[in-house]
Amino acid sequence: MPLRTAVVDDEPLAVELLSDYVNKTEGLLLAEATTDVYKVLKMVQHNEIDLVFLDIQMPELTGFQFMKITGNKCRVIITTAYNEYALEGYEFNVVDYLLKPISYERFLKAIYKLGQVVVAAEIKPVQKPDHIFIKSEYKLIRINLADILYIESLRDYIAIHTIAKQKIMSLESLRNMETILPQDEFTRVHKSYIISMHKISFVEKNRIVINNEYIPIGESYQEKFFSIINKA
């Protein structure tokens, strides 16, 4: 099975070059190529990526911050124009360190190194994620999935309601949250609400009660929701 690969760099030309390398290399499948580091971060959190070609110096989130957040959820090959980051990069157990400009020959050497790492990684069980990171203002906030009660859409924002009675605001969308959250734990019940199935106190007609809060079940979501409830 090919490795689902993402390329993330704040320079579009670098993204284009590495994407071309990935596309012509057997064993790799280009899943995403972008300058949006948060998009790749979400994909890694959702177990959609096996390998990331990661730039170190990016304005919104550095490569080192990215690796601190994702831990060992994917393999990383660093790409950068600055060789002074090499030592720190290897402290994160990266597969290789590619110094720009990157030739295809050097790219292939990194992939050959990756081959040995992947064999060892494949025998390890995949761990189900127990948390997500959400951007709120200028911070990335870690939220444990077990702490989420429900998520509410508020026009351009969402509010994540937690068991600690926190309301974490973010410029996310409910559609994106649907892709990030485990579908066996969370479900959308209204155009403005996603709920944790584990936090339901009771269902009253077309309303769900979670932590004494009433959440409507939208007409177009009723069939799916009650189907899930009946199977539980």
Side-chain angles (χ1 to χ4, degrees):
M1 179 179 293
L3 294 175
R4 298 166 300 175
T5 304
V7 174
V8 57
D9 196 302
D10 63 341
E11 299 176 2
L13 289 177
V15 173
E16 184 177 349
L17 175 69
L18 287 170
S19 298
D20 180 62
Y21 287 175
V22 171
N23 282 328
K24 65 183 182 182
T25 303
E26 186 175 355
L28 302 183
L29 173 66
L30 186 63
E32 185 57 59
T34 182
T35 58
D36 185 351
V37 65
Y38 289 108
K39 184 175 185 180
V40 175
L41 178 63
K42 292 171 190 174
M43 294 178 74
V44 171
Q45 290 177 323
H46 204 52
N47 294 319
E48 296 174 352
I49 300 294
D50 302 309
L51 170 66
V52 178
F53 285 89
L54 179 68
D55 188 22
I56 289 298
Q57 284 199 326
M58 292 178 287
E60 291 187 313
L61 188 74
T62 71
F64 293 125
Q65 290 172 325
F66 182 100
M67 289 186 284
K68 285 178 182 177
I69 293 169
T70 57
N72 295 319
K73 289 181 70 67
C74 68
R75 305 307 304 173
V76 173
I77 295 176
I78 290 176
T79 63
T80 182
Y82 304 94
N83 58 16
E84 61 263 35
Y85 295 123
L87 183 60
E88 188 175 359
Y90 283 116
E91 289 178 359
F92 284 92
N93 195 30
V94 300
V95 175
D96 206 348
Y97 183 101
L98 300 183
L99 191 62
K100 299 175 182 177
I102 302 166
S103 68
Y104 186 53
E105 181 182 6
R106 182 65 184 89
F107 175 92
L108 287 178
K109 286 183 179 179
I111 300 305
Y112 294 151
K113 287 184 182 180
L114 178 69
Q116 297 179 353
V117 175
V118 170
V119 170
E122 284 180 343
I123 64 174
K124 298 178 182 178
V126 176
Q127 294 184 343
K128 188 176 180 180
D130 62 357
H131 65 275
I132 57 173
F133 280 87
I134 290 294
K135 188 178 182 183
S136 182
E137 295 182 337
Y138 301 103
K139 297 179 292 185
L140 275 172
I141 300 176
R142 173 179 168 139
I143 305 174
N144 292 329
L145 297 181
D147 292 341
I148 299 175
L149 297 172
Y150 61 93
I151 303 169
E152 180 183 10
S153 176
L154 301 170
R155 292 189 178 180
D156 296 331
Y157 289 82
I158 61 167
I160 302 175
H161 298 261
T162 71
I163 58 177
K165 295 186 178 180
Q166 283 182 301
K167 188 163 72 172
I168 301 166
M169 308 295 292
S170 175
L171 273 170
E172 270 289 359
S173 68
L174 282 189
R175 178 170 294 184
N176 282 341
M177 293 304 298
E178 281 186 284
T179 66
I180 294 171
L181 296 168
Q183 294 183 4
D184 59 337
E185 297 181 34
F186 295 86
T187 191
R188 192 163 182 173
V189 297
H190 189 274
K191 66 179 181 179
S192 299
Y193 291 96
I194 293 174
I195 67 161
S196 168
M197 297 297 292
H198 300 311
K199 300 300 189 298
I200 297 174
S201 298
F202 60 88
V203 179
E204 180 185 82
K205 296 183 179 178
N206 290 327
R207 297 188 300 177
I208 300 161
V209 178
I210 295 179
N211 200 35
N212 296 321
E213 295 289 336
Y214 283 82
I215 297 170
I217 306 172
E219 185 175 347
S220 61
Y221 297 90
Q222 290 178 13
E223 183 177 349
K224 178 184 176 182
F225 173 73
F226 286 109
S227 174
I228 295 171
I229 289 293
N230 292 330
K231 289 178 182 178

